[in-house]
Amino acid sequence: MVQVCLNGRRSAADGARVPVSPEELARSAAEAVAAGATSVHVHPKTPCGQDSLSARVLGPALEAIRARVRVPVGVTTGAWAEPDPAARLDRVRAWSVLPDFASVNWHEPGAEEVAAELLARGVAVEAGIWSGTGGTGRFTASPLGPRVLRVLAEVTDPDPATAEASARALLAELGTAHGRPVLLHGEEGGTWPVLRLAFLLGLTTRVGLEDTLFLPDGRRARSNAELVGEALRTAARPDPARPDPAREAGRQ
């Protein structure tokens, strides 16, 4: 599975390619799914481009996307969109149009309460575990761990030279991850090294303009669909830096 992350915390200031309005999000999602994405992660935004958990913002975005695609659609519950934990919980309770899943960052205050409310409402939870935070320990000890849809292992190291090592360290910290599937991804300069590692390990991954604005060769990506297409080509392309198991076996 390759999930597409349409926009993240980026805005039009990051380029016209970043979708913001419900119509732009729907078009970008449809193009990415046509390119091979199997689920969609989106940050619904106000008209001025700010992430929002308001039902009045989330509902139109979800409805527009679902009118164009038939894959699961998920949203963020990031604390930057609503810093106060109680207010964030109230926002989730007020949703009238529900996403298929929502990511909950386990290092953020109020994460357990938000995750419990989502589960009670029938919304699947992606447990966002960021490297370099206390999220791993909190998730490992959480009674909700076995109930999440999957673990979103987020490598925050943007250095392409060290991101893979950071990803391996995060996976080691997660251990069995309550037996839940793991979606591994990087960001900025670490996007492509971590994506290649995810494919190597047989893990789900994601790509999109939330995580990177660039293709592996440094060119600016024209769309989320182009990033998804390149990710799938990467999955099928042997990595010349790694030994080919079949070739090595033939030498023995």
Side-chain angles (χ1 to χ4, degrees):
M1 187 186 89
V2 175
Q3 182 184 91
V4 62
C5 46
L6 295 177
N7 55 358
R9 296 169 70 179
R10 301 193 196 274
S11 69
D14 295 293
R17 298 171 178 84
V18 178
V20 175
S21 70
E23 295 74 19
E24 292 168 345
L25 293 168
R27 181 172 60 252
S28 187
E31 292 170 352
V33 170
T38 52
S39 70
V40 175
H41 171 77
V42 62
H43 290 210
K45 295 181 182 292
T46 64
C48 61
Q50 300 298 310
D51 284 12
S52 176
L53 305 184
S54 167
R56 291 179 296 177
V57 174
L58 183 136
L62 288 176
E63 288 172 340
I65 294 170
R66 283 174 169 155
R68 298 288 301 273
V69 304
R70 294 292 181 268
V71 301
V73 182
V75 300
T76 183
T77 62
W80 57 86
E82 182 53 76
D84 180 69
R88 196 180 327 133
L89 190 58
D90 287 341
R91 290 288 198 188
V92 171
R93 286 172 174 156
W95 290 351
S96 53
V97 179
L98 297 178
D100 297 294
F101 61 91
S103 59
V104 179
N105 300 319
W106 234 261
H107 66 279
E108 294 175 348
E112 294 268 346
E113 291 78 8
V114 169
E117 179 63 23
L118 288 166
L119 291 169
R121 300 201 66 190
V123 178
V125 171
E126 280 187 329
I129 310 299
W130 294 21
S131 62
T133 71
T136 305
R138 294 177 184 177
F139 178 72
T140 300
S142 174
L144 297 179
R147 298 176 58 193
V148 305
L149 174 66
R150 58 180 161 258
V151 174
L152 190 62
E154 307 199 41
V155 182
T156 59
D157 180 355
D159 188 336
T162 58
E164 180 180 330
S166 296
R168 290 184 181 276
L170 176 59
L171 293 173
E173 289 176 14
L174 279 168
T176 62
H178 290 290
R180 307 312 301 145
V182 174
L183 187 160
L184 176 67
H185 77 97
E187 62 182 35
E188 306 302 350
T191 298
W192 296 104
V194 174
L195 181 140
R196 286 190 287 269
L197 177 64
F199 284 134
L200 178 70
L201 299 177
L203 300 175
T204 298
T205 190
R206 82 177 197 187
V207 74
L209 293 171
E210 172 172 353
D211 290 343
T212 183
L213 299 173
F214 300 96
L215 297 166
D217 62 7
R219 288 181 295 125
R220 185 99 175 193
R222 292 173 294 181
S223 65
N224 280 301
E226 186 174 29
L227 289 167
V228 170
E230 181 59 33
L232 292 173
R233 285 189 290 275
T234 298
R237 186 186 305 136
D239 185 346
R242 298 184 186 279
D244 182 334
R247 185 180 304 165
E248 293 299 314
R251 291 174 179 171
Q252 296 176 4

Coordinates of all heavy atoms in Angstrom, one line a residue, residues 149-214:
L149 N -5.7 1.0 13.9 CA -5.7 0.5 12.5 C -4.3 0.1 12.1 O -4.0 -1.0 11.6 CB -6.3 1.5 11.5 CG -6.2 1.2 10.1 CD1 -7.0 0.0 9.7 CD2 -6.6 2.4 9.2
R150 N -3.3 1.0 12.4 CA -1.9 0.8 12.1 C -1.1 1.9 12.8 O -1.7 2.9 13.4 CB -1.7 0.9 10.6 CG -2.1 2.2 9.9 CD -1.8 2.2 8.4 NE -2.6 3.3 7.8 CZ -3.6 3.0 7.1 NH1 -4.1 1.8 6.9 NH2 -4.3 4.0 6.5
V151 N 0.2 1.7 12.8 CA 1.1 2.6 13.4 C 1.8 3.4 12.3 O 2.3 2.8 11.3 CB 2.2 1.9 14.2 CG1 3.3 2.8 14.7 CG2 1.6 1.1 15.4
L152 N 1.7 4.7 12.4 CA 2.3 5.6 11.4 C 3.7 6.0 12.0 O 3.8 6.9 12.8 CB 1.4 6.8 11.3 CG 1.7 7.8 10.2 CD1 1.6 7.2 8.8 CD2 0.7 9.0 10.3
A153 N 4.7 5.3 11.6 CA 6.0 5.6 12.1 C 6.6 6.7 11.3 O 7.0 6.5 10.1 CB 6.9 4.3 11.9
E154 N 6.8 7.9 11.9 CA 7.1 9.1 11.2 C 8.6 9.5 11.5 O 8.9 9.8 12.7 CB 6.2 10.2 11.6 CG 4.7 9.8 11.4 CD 3.8 11.0 11.3 OE1 4.1 12.0 10.6 OE2 2.7 10.9 11.9
V155 N 9.4 9.4 10.6 CA 10.9 9.7 10.8 C 11.1 11.2 10.5 O 11.0 11.6 9.4 CB 11.7 8.8 9.8 CG1 13.2 9.1 10.1 CG2 11.4 7.3 10.0
T156 N 11.4 11.9 11.6 CA 11.5 13.4 11.5 C 12.9 13.8 11.1 O 13.1 15.0 11.0 CB 11.1 14.0 12.8 OG1 11.9 13.5 13.8 CG2 9.6 13.7 13.1
D157 N 13.8 12.9 10.9 CA 15.2 13.3 10.5 C 15.1 13.6 9.0 O 14.9 12.8 8.1 CB 16.1 12.1 10.7 CG 17.5 12.3 10.3 OD1 17.8 13.4 9.8 OD2 18.4 11.4 10.6
P158 N 15.4 14.9 8.6 CA 15.3 15.3 7.2 C 16.6 15.1 6.4 O 16.7 15.4 5.2 CB 15.0 16.8 7.3 CG 15.8 17.2 8.5 CD 15.7 16.0 9.5
D159 N 17.7 14.5 7.1 CA 19.0 14.4 6.4 C 19.0 13.1 5.6 O 18.9 12.0 6.2 CB 20.1 14.4 7.5 CG 21.5 14.4 6.9 OD1 21.6 14.0 5.7 OD2 22.4 14.8 7.6
P160 N 19.2 13.1 4.3 CA 19.2 11.9 3.5 C 20.3 10.9 3.9 O 20.2 9.7 3.7 CB 19.3 12.4 2.1 CG 19.9 13.7 2.2 CD 19.4 14.3 3.5
A161 N 21.4 11.4 4.5 CA 22.5 10.6 4.9 C 22.2 9.8 6.2 O 22.8 8.7 6.4 CB 23.7 11.4 5.1
T162 N 21.3 10.2 7.0 CA 21.1 9.6 8.3 C 19.6 9.1 8.5 O 19.3 8.4 9.5 CB 21.4 10.5 9.5 OG1 20.7 11.7 9.3 CG2 22.9 10.9 9.4
A163 N 18.7 9.5 7.6 CA 17.3 9.2 7.8 C 17.0 7.7 7.9 O 16.2 7.2 8.7 CB 16.5 9.8 6.7
E164 N 17.7 6.9 7.1 CA 17.5 5.4 7.1 C 17.9 4.9 8.5 O 17.1 4.1 9.1 CB 18.3 4.7 6.0 CG 18.0 3.2 6.1 CD 18.8 2.4 5.0 OE1 19.0 2.9 3.9 OE2 19.1 1.2 5.3
A165 N 19.0 5.3 9.0 CA 19.4 4.8 10.4 C 18.4 5.3 11.4 O 18.1 4.5 12.3 CB 20.8 5.4 10.7
S166 N 17.9 6.5 11.3 CA 16.9 7.0 12.2 C 15.6 6.1 12.1 O 15.0 5.9 13.1 CB 16.6 8.5 11.9 OG 17.7 9.3 12.1
A167 N 15.3 5.7 10.9 CA 14.1 4.9 10.7 C 14.3 3.6 11.4 O 13.3 3.0 12.0 CB 13.8 4.7 9.2
R168 N 15.4 3.0 11.2 CA 15.7 1.7 11.8 C 15.6 1.7 13.3 O 15.1 0.8 14.0 CB 17.0 1.1 11.3 CG 17.0 0.7 9.8 CD 18.3 0.1 9.4 NE 18.4 -0.3 8.0 CZ 17.9 -1.5 7.6 NH1 17.4 -2.4 8.4 NH2 18.0 -1.8 6.3
A169 N 16.1 2.8 13.9 CA 16.1 3.0 15.3 C 14.7 3.2 15.8 O 14.3 2.6 16.9 CB 16.9 4.3 15.7
L170 N 13.9 3.9 15.1 CA 12.5 4.1 15.5 C 11.7 2.7 15.4 O 11.0 2.4 16.3 CB 11.8 5.1 14.5 CG 10.3 5.3 14.8 CD1 10.0 5.8 16.2 CD2 9.7 6.3 13.7
L171 N 12.0 1.9 14.4 CA 11.3 0.6 14.3 C 11.8 -0.3 15.4 O 10.9 -1.0 16.0 CB 11.6 0.0 13.0 CG 11.0 0.6 11.7 CD1 11.6 0.0 10.5 CD2 9.5 0.6 11.7
A172 N 13.0 -0.2 15.8 CA 13.5 -1.0 16.9 C 12.8 -0.6 18.2 O 12.5 -1.4 19.1 CB 15.0 -0.8 17.1
E173 N 12.6 0.7 18.4 CA 11.9 1.2 19.6 C 10.5 0.7 19.7 O 10.0 0.4 20.7 CB 12.0 2.7 19.7 CG 13.3 3.4 19.9 CD 13.3 4.9 19.8 OE1 12.1 5.4 19.8 OE2 14.3 5.5 19.8
L174 N 9.9 0.7 18.5 CA 8.5 0.3 18.4 C 8.3 -1.2 18.8 O 7.2 -1.7 19.3 CB 7.9 0.5 17.1 CG 7.4 2.0 16.8 CD1 7.2 2.2 15.3 CD2 6.2 2.3 17.6
G175 N 9.3 -2.0 18.5 CA 9.2 -3.5 18.8 C 8.1 -4.1 18.0 O 7.9 -3.9 16.8
T176 N 7.2 -4.8 18.7 CA 6.1 -5.5 18.0 C 4.9 -4.5 17.7 O 4.0 -4.9 17.0 CB 5.5 -6.6 19.0 OG1 5.0 -6.0 20.2 CG2 6.6 -7.6 19.3
A177 N 5.0 -3.3 18.2 CA 3.9 -2.3 17.9 C 2.5 -2.8 18.2 O 1.6 -2.6 17.4 CB 4.1 -1.8 16.5
H178 N 2.4 -3.6 19.3 CA 1.1 -4.2 19.6 C 0.5 -5.1 18.5 O -0.7 -5.4 18.5 CB 0.0 -3.1 19.9 CG 0.3 -2.3 21.2 ND1 0.1 -2.9 22.5 CD2 0.7 -1.1 21.4 CE1 0.4 -2.0 23.4 NE2 0.8 -0.9 22.8
G179 N 1.4 -5.5 17.6 CA 1.0 -6.4 16.6 C 0.3 -5.7 15.4 O -0.3 -6.4 14.6
R180 N 0.3 -4.4 15.4 CA -0.4 -3.7 14.4 C 0.5 -3.4 13.2 O 1.7 -3.4 13.3 CB -0.9 -2.3 14.9 CG -1.7 -2.4 16.2 CD -2.8 -3.5 16.1 NE -3.7 -3.3 15.0 CZ -4.3 -4.2 14.2 NH1 -4.0 -5.5 14.5 NH2 -5.1 -3.9 13.2
P181 N -0.1 -3.3 12.0 CA 0.7 -3.0 10.8 C 1.4 -1.6 10.9 O 0.9 -0.8 11.6 CB -0.3 -2.9 9.7 CG -1.5 -3.6 10.2 CD -1.5 -3.5 11.7
V182 N 2.5 -1.5 10.3 CA 3.3 -0.3 10.4 C 3.4 0.4 9.0 O 3.7 -0.3 8.0 CB 4.8 -0.6 10.9 CG1 5.6 0.7 10.9 CG2 4.7 -1.1 12.3
L183 N 3.1 1.7 9.0 CA 3.3 2.5 7.8 C 4.5 3.4 8.1 O 4.5 4.2 9.0 CB 2.1 3.4 7.5 CG 2.1 4.2 6.2 CD1 0.7 4.6 5.8 CD2 3.0 5.4 6.3
L184 N 5.6 3.2 7.4 CA 6.9 3.9 7.6 C 7.1 5.0 6.6 O 7.0 4.7 5.4 CB 8.1 2.9 7.6 CG 9.5 3.5 7.7 CD1 9.7 4.1 9.2 CD2 10.5 2.4 7.4
H185 N 7.4 6.2 7.0 CA 7.7 7.2 6.0 C 8.6 8.3 6.6 O 8.8 8.4 7.8 CB 6.4 7.9 5.6 CG 5.8 8.9 6.6 ND1 6.1 10.3 6.5 CD2 5.1 8.7 7.7 CE1 5.5 10.9 7.5 NE2 4.8 10.0 8.3
G186 N 9.3 9.0 5.7 CA 10.2 10.1 6.1 C 9.6 11.4 5.7 O 8.5 11.5 5.2
E187 N 10.4 12.5 5.8 CA 10.0 13.8 5.4 C 11.2 14.6 4.8 O 12.3 14.3 5.2 CB 9.3 14.5 6.5 CG 10.2 14.8 7.7 CD 9.5 15.5 8.8 OE1 8.3 15.3 9.1 OE2 10.2 16.3 9.5
E188 N 10.9 15.5 4.0 CA 11.9 16.4 3.4 C 13.0 15.5 2.8 O 12.7 14.6 2.1 CB 12.4 17.4 4.4 CG 11.3 18.3 5.0 CD 10.4 19.0 4.1 OE1 10.7 19.1 2.9 OE2 9.4 19.6 4.5
G189 N 14.3 15.8 3.1 CA 15.4 15.1 2.5 C 15.4 13.6 2.9 O 16.0 12.8 2.2
G190 N 14.7 13.2 3.9 CA 14.7 11.8 4.3 C 13.5 11.0 3.7 O 13.5 9.8 3.9
T191 N 12.7 11.7 2.9 CA 11.6 11.0 2.3 C 11.9 9.8 1.5 O 11.4 8.6 1.7 CB 10.8 11.9 1.4 OG1 10.3 13.0 2.2 CG2 9.6 11.2 0.7
W192 N 12.8 9.9 0.5 CA 13.1 8.8 -0.4 C 14.0 7.7 0.2 O 13.7 6.5 0.0 CB 13.7 9.4 -1.7 CG 12.7 10.3 -2.4 CD1 12.7 11.6 -2.5 CD2 11.6 9.8 -3.1 NE1 11.6 12.1 -3.2 CE2 10.9 11.0 -3.6 CE3 11.0 8.6 -3.4 CZ2 9.7 10.9 -4.4 CZ3 9.8 8.5 -4.2 CH2 9.2 9.7 -4.6
P193 N 15.0 8.0 1.0 CA 15.7 6.9 1.7 C 14.8 6.1 2.6 O 14.9 4.9 2.6 CB 16.8 7.7 2.5 CG 17.0 9.0 1.8 CD 15.6 9.3 1.3
V194 N 13.9 6.7 3.3 CA 13.0 6.0 4.2 C 12.0 5.2 3.4 O 11.6 4.1 3.7 CB 12.3 6.9 5.2 CG1 11.3 6.2 6.1 CG2 13.4 7.6 6.1
L195 N 11.5 5.8 2.3 CA 10.5 5.1 1.4 C 11.2 3.8 0.9 O 10.6 2.7 0.8 CB 10.1 6.0 0.3 CG 9.0 5.4 -0.7 CD1 8.0 6.4 -1.0 CD2 9.7 4.9 -1.9
R196 N 12.4 3.9 0.4 CA 13.1 2.7 -0.1 C 13.3 1.7 1.0 O 13.1 0.5 0.7 CB 14.5 3.1 -0.7 CG 14.4 3.8 -2.0 CD 15.7 4.0 -2.7 NE 16.5 5.0 -2.0 CZ 16.6 6.3 -2.4 NH1 15.8 6.7 -3.3 NH2 17.3 7.1 -1.7
L197 N 13.6 2.1 2.2 CA 13.7 1.1 3.3 C 12.3 0.5 3.6 O 12.3 -0.8 3.8 CB 14.2 1.9 4.6 CG 14.3 1.0 5.8 CD1 15.3 -0.1 5.7 CD2 14.6 1.8 7.1
A198 N 11.3 1.2 3.5 CA 9.9 0.6 3.8 C 9.7 -0.5 2.8 O 9.2 -1.5 3.1 CB 8.9 1.7 3.7
F199 N 10.0 -0.2 1.5 CA 9.7 -1.2 0.5 C 10.6 -2.4 0.7 O 10.2 -3.6 0.6 CB 10.0 -0.7 -0.9 CG 8.9 0.2 -1.4 CD1 9.2 1.4 -2.0 CD2 7.6 -0.2 -1.3 CE1 8.2 2.3 -2.5 CE2 6.6 0.7 -1.8 CZ 6.9 1.9 -2.4
L200 N 11.9 -2.2 1.1 CA 12.8 -3.3 1.4 C 12.3 -4.2 2.5 O 12.5 -5.4 2.4 CB 14.2 -2.7 1.7 CG 15.3 -3.7 2.1 CD1 15.7 -4.5 0.9 CD2 16.5 -3.0 2.7
L201 N 11.7 -3.6 3.5 CA 11.2 -4.3 4.7 C 9.8 -4.9 4.5 O 9.3 -5.5 5.4 CB 11.3 -3.4 5.9 CG 12.7 -2.9 6.3 CD1 12.6 -2.0 7.5 CD2 13.6 -4.1 6.6
G202 N 9.2 -4.5 3.4 CA 7.8 -5.0 3.1 C 6.8 -4.3 3.9 O 5.7 -4.8 4.2
L203 N 7.1 -3.0 4.3 CA 6.1 -2.2 5.0 C 5.3 -1.3 4.1 O 5.7 -0.9 3.1 CB 6.9 -1.4 6.1 CG 7.7 -2.1 7.1 CD1 8.5 -1.1 8.0 CD2 6.8 -3.0 8.0
T204 N 4.1 -0.9 4.6 CA 3.4 0.1 4.0 C 4.1 1.5 4.1 O 4.9 1.7 5.0 CB 2.0 0.3 4.7 OG1 1.3 -1.0 4.5 CG2 1.2 1.4 4.1
T205 N 3.9 2.3 3.1 CA 4.6 3.6 3.2 C 3.6 4.7 2.6 O 2.5 4.4 2.2 CB 5.9 3.6 2.4 OG1 6.6 4.8 2.7 CG2 5.7 3.5 0.9
R206 N 4.1 5.9 2.5 CA 3.3 7.0 2.0 C 4.3 8.0 1.3 O 5.5 8.1 1.6 CB 2.5 7.7 3.0 CG 3.2 8.7 3.9 CD 2.3 9.4 4.8 NE 2.9 10.7 5.3 CZ 2.4 11.5 6.3 NH1 1.2 11.1 6.9 NH2 3.0 12.6 6.6
V207 N 3.7 8.8 0.4 CA 4.4 9.9 -0.2 C 3.4 11.0 -0.6 O 2.2 10.7 -0.9 CB 5.3 9.4 -1.4 CG1 4.4 9.0 -2.6 CG2 6.4 10.3 -1.8
G208 N 3.9 12.2 -0.8 CA 3.0 13.3 -1.2 C 3.6 14.6 -0.9 O 4.7 14.7 -0.3
L209 N 2.9 15.6 -1.3 CA 3.5 17.0 -1.1 C 3.6 17.4 0.4 O 4.3 18.3 0.7 CB 2.6 18.0 -1.9 CG 2.7 17.8 -3.4 CD1 1.7 18.7 -4.1 CD2 4.1 18.2 -3.9
E210 N 2.9 16.7 1.3 CA 3.1 16.9 2.7 C 4.5 16.6 3.1 O 5.2 17.3 3.8 CB 2.2 16.1 3.6 CG 2.5 16.1 5.1 CD 1.5 15.5 6.0 OE1 0.4 15.0 5.5 OE2 1.8 15.4 7.2
D211 N 5.1 15.5 2.6 CA 6.4 15.0 3.0 C 7.5 15.6 2.2 O 8.6 15.8 2.7 CB 6.4 13.5 2.9 CG 5.6 12.8 4.0 OD1 5.2 13.5 5.0 OD2 5.2 11.6 3.8
T212 N 7.3 15.8 0.9 CA 8.4 16.3 0.1 C 7.8 17.1 -1.1 O 6.7 16.7 -1.7 CB 9.3 15.2 -0.4 OG1 10.4 15.8 -1.2 CG2 8.6 14.2 -1.3
L213 N 8.5 18.1 -1.6 CA 8.2 18.8 -2.8 C 9.0 18.4 -4.0 O 8.9 18.9 -5.1 CB 8.4 20.3 -2.6 CG 7.5 21.0 -1.5 CD1 7.9 22.4 -1.3 CD2 6.0 20.9 -1.8
F214 N 9.9 17.4 -3.7 CA 10.9 17.0 -4.7 C 10.9 15.6 -5.1 O 10.7 14.7 -4.2 CB 12.3 17.5 -4.3 CG 12.4 19.0 -4.0 CD1 12.2 19.5 -2.8 CD2 12.6 19.8 -5.1 CE1 12.3 20.9 -2.5 CE2 12.7 21.2 -4.9 CZ 12.5 21.7 -3.6

